[in-house]
Amino acid sequence: PLNRVEYKPINLDTLAELAESTKANVIDIDLLFNNGLISKNDLVKVLARGEAKSLKAEVKVHAFSAAAIAAIESAGGKATVIS
């Protein structure tokens, strides 16, 4: 369908690595873009593949799977949906 939103999937293991390498407390679109993980106009959805135990950051992206939200929150992080 024409109104289907195309998301760029990012997995929890990628976010955990990024948080470790950058020591960021907030992982947002700018950080993902500046680290070459997404293109400028990508809509990002976080998926629950991988470990999120070390992910204590606030993650601000366009969408999350339910399992990803649960994993981020149980690791002590926060999942924030942006528009």
Side-chain angles (χ1 to χ4, degrees):
L2 289 175
N3 60 356
R4 181 166 180 267
V5 178
E6 283 289 332
Y7 287 105
K8 167 92 176 177
I10 300 276
N11 287 296
L12 290 175
D13 47 10
T14 305
L15 293 180
E17 283 171 31
L18 183 63
E20 264 174 52
S21 66
T22 63
K23 305 293 183 225
N25 293 326
V26 176
I27 296 174
D28 59 12
I29 299 302
D30 288 338
L31 188 68
L32 294 170
F33 175 72
N34 292 336
N35 284 275
L37 294 171
I38 63 171
S39 300
K40 192 155 184 55
N41 296 317
D42 281 345
L43 296 175
V44 177
K45 181 171 186 174
V46 175
L47 302 179
R49 192 194 81 205
E51 286 290 322
K53 285 191 180 75
S54 62
L55 191 59
K56 293 181 176 24
E58 180 178 5
V59 182
K60 296 180 174 183
V61 298
H62 303 100
F64 297 86
S65 71
I69 292 173
I72 291 167
E73 290 178 347
S74 72
K78 185 176 176 202
T80 303
V81 174
I82 62 172
S83 53

